[in-house]
Amino acid sequence: MTLDALREAIGLEPGENSTRIQGSAHTDSRLVSTGDVFVALPGENTDGHHFLGSVARRGGKVAIVSHDRTEILNQGWATAEELDQLTVLQVSDPQYALGRLARAHLRQLRAQARGGTGKLKLVIGITGSAGKTTTKDLTKQLLSTKGATVAPVASFNNEVGLPLTVLEADVSTEYLVLEMGASQPGDIAYLTDIAPLDVALVLMVGVAHLESYSSVEALAAEKATILENLGPSGMAILNADDPRVEAMSGRTSGRLMYFSTKKNTPVRITDLRLDEAARGSFLLHTPEGSAPVQLQLLGAHHVTNAVAAAAIAHVAGMTPAEIATVLSNATPVSEHRMNLVHLADGVDLIDDAYNANPDSVRAALDVIAKSGATRRVVIVLGDMLELGETSPQLHGEIGRYAANLGISVLLTVGPMAKHIESAYSALKRDGESHQVMDATAAGRLLQEIVRPGDLILVKGSHGSGLWKLAQEIEERGRVR
């Protein structure tokens, strides 16, 4: 993209500079290298503008900012000499500019593909209250066997992560896989405006992020907006096992395909079996035939994710045998998602601590209950965030669910997680339960609780910090 085109993409007058930009786009100054574009965003702990000097010293070429040169100099964020090394573009909202830049870049990639100088075939969007990241990871592993595939790292699924992912694609990219999250009304529409989709998949509707929505039905309506910008040639892929998702068929003018683990849909499974670690094996069916799959991923809930990814792969032209081979060899890619770690003294850790909502916590508890049928299990559960007024009730339901599964030891972490512990202890009189307020206290207590041969599950919303605890457990290599 030329500097003129970049200016126009973010809403500025084009100017008269046809210099071509060869670098990447970043919002983290530590990632900037020669020729890159830096977008200065406010962060959780600091502001990107504070690092403009560092961006210049690292060889950055363009900085998209919301403060003028005078303020940048007065605040000491960069020297005059450093600013002179950058093309500084001032806009009212750098985050919005990032989205506009990604939209223009994707439009250019599609034009290049039509003209024969690019290879982009499909832009794929995945949404749902749970399972998005695993489905995205499986989809990338599948499509990468067909051609160059770009997909988000971790859960880059919001108004910053999605455009950064789009900007990673280039003329060699054949498949662009995007994860689309919704934390407030309008999020999905904003993301699909940046990246109009060829394929849109909806996994399920639960109660994650319910804090920002009036009801589960309102959340379902938000998820359904991923289908609305599909043209007649687009493909909507829906989970027939979720009634709210199945009912979204009227929201698209594109083609429609269902997948299921239970029903006779075009992409489906039969002969499902779970081993002692809750790993699924099944016969996968697509309109092109069938093939057996043996998943390596822990948890029955990953069967749905695998079938969803298989549906995308089928649309991309993969055969059942090709899909089955990849799924049977697929491993966890993103951190803190049902990752099994073997520690000293026969202790095993299942690290599922990246995020949590009632649906995903139940799924993780199902895994631990089956895996721990012959051993002592220790469950560490943190706060589930963004659940709104029903949060105490939903946490209490998890406590009762854990008790009914016969979980041996429960440790809850955080002010809301106390409702899990109290509900658990009310039902599980012979179980052992503990409640602490933070991950540091949980780490100290675990060293007293855990015995050789135990199985540990760590799960909580990202903001609870339990992913750090899971990392510490793994780094120590043993818990005594």
Side-chain angles (χ1 to χ4, degrees), residues 259-275:
F259 67 92
S260 173
T261 62
K262 303 170 185 175
K263 300 178 181 178
N264 187 21
T265 54
V267 179
R268 67 190 189 281
I269 66 167
T270 57
D271 304 326
L272 173 63
R273 293 179 175 82
L274 299 176
D275 67 10

Side-chain angles (χ1 to χ4, degrees), residues 122 124 143 146 175 311-318:
L122 292 176
I124 299 150
L143 297 184
K146 293 277 291 179
Y175 302 100
I312 295 172
H314 166 70
V315 171
M318 293 183 69

Side-chain angles (χ1 to χ4, degrees), residues 396-447:
E397 290 175 4
I398 292 299
R400 288 186 286 275
Y401 194 80
N404 289 329
L405 285 175
I407 298 301
S408 311
V409 183
L410 173 70
L411 169 58
T412 57
V413 186
M416 197 55 64
K418 67 183 180 183
H419 297 285
I420 301 177
E421 191 278 333
S422 60
Y424 169 91
S425 60
L427 286 177
K428 185 68 176 174
R429 291 183 176 84
D430 58 343
E432 177 184 339
S433 62
H434 308 266
Q435 160 68 21
V436 296
M437 294 306 293
D438 57 52
T440 300
R444 289 195 297 265
L445 188 55
L446 270 179
Q447 294 183 61

Side-chain angles (χ1 to χ4, degrees), residues 67-337:
H67 297 285
D68 62 23
R69 180 183 178 94
T70 300
E71 184 171 5
I72 293 169
L73 292 173
N74 289 342
Q75 293 290 342
W77 297 332
T79 66
E81 292 75 15
E82 288 166 341
L83 285 184
D84 288 342
Q85 296 175 42
L86 296 168
T87 298
V88 180
L89 304 178
Q90 185 181 357
V91 295
S92 59
D93 185 348
Q95 180 179 291
Y96 181 67
L98 175 66
R100 291 190 58 145
L101 180 59
R103 181 171 57 183
H105 178 61
L106 180 54
R107 189 164 55 239
Q108 179 174 295
L109 290 178
R110 281 181 157 135
Q112 290 169 322
R114 288 192 299 271
T117 58
K119 295 186 176 182
L120 188 63
K121 294 178 180 177
L122 292 176
V123 180
I124 299 150
I126 299 168
T127 195
S129 297
K132 294 186 296 297
T133 300
T134 299
T135 302
K136 172 264 299 181
D137 290 340
L138 291 173
T139 300
K140 183 179 183 182
Q141 291 179 70
L142 284 160
L143 297 184
S144 292
T145 65
K146 293 277 291 179
T149 302
V150 169
V153 296
S155 284
F156 268 34
N157 62 18
N158 62 10
E159 64 277 4
V160 176
L162 180 135
L164 287 174
T165 302
V166 171
L167 290 163
E168 286 291 317
D170 60 25
V171 291
S172 69
T173 302
E174 296 186 40
Y175 302 100
L176 175 58
V177 182
L178 300 170
E179 185 178 331
M180 295 184 166
S183 57
Q184 60 185 359
D187 280 353
I188 299 291
Y190 178 76
L191 298 178
T192 54
D193 182 61
I194 293 172
L197 302 173
D198 302 307
V199 178
L201 182 141
V202 186
L203 284 162
M204 55 90 70
V205 177
V207 295
H209 304 297
L210 195 56
E211 181 179 52
S212 300
Y213 297 88
S214 59
S215 64
V216 176
E217 287 68 29
L219 180 59
E222 172 71 27
K223 299 293 186 187
T225 59
I226 196 173
L227 309 175
E228 292 179 353
N229 76 336
L230 284 174
S233 62
M235 174 68 78
I237 303 177
L238 302 179
N239 181 3
D241 296 335
D242 186 318
R244 291 188 177 93
V245 175
E246 190 176 27
M248 294 178 185
S249 58
R251 300 290 291 271
T252 181
S253 60
R255 297 172 293 155
L256 185 63
M257 174 182 289
Y258 287 107
F259 67 92
S260 173
T261 62
K262 303 170 185 175
K263 300 178 181 178
N264 187 21
T265 54
V267 179
R268 67 190 189 281
I269 66 167
T270 57
D271 304 326
L272 173 63
R273 293 179 175 82
L274 299 176
D275 67 10
E276 68 284 351
R279 290 179 292 239
S281 62
F282 50 84
L283 188 63
L284 172 69
H285 303 270
T286 81
E288 302 301 318
S290 59
V293 175
Q294 172 64 66
L295 294 179
Q296 305 304 310
L297 304 176
L298 299 178
H301 56 295
H302 286 318
V303 173
T304 295
N305 301 332
V307 179
I312 295 172
H314 166 70
V315 171
M318 293 183 69
T319 68
E322 291 171 335
I323 296 170
T325 297
V326 176
L327 289 180
S328 295
N329 290 284
T331 56
V333 174
S334 298
E335 293 183 331
H336 310 296
R337 285 178 171 81

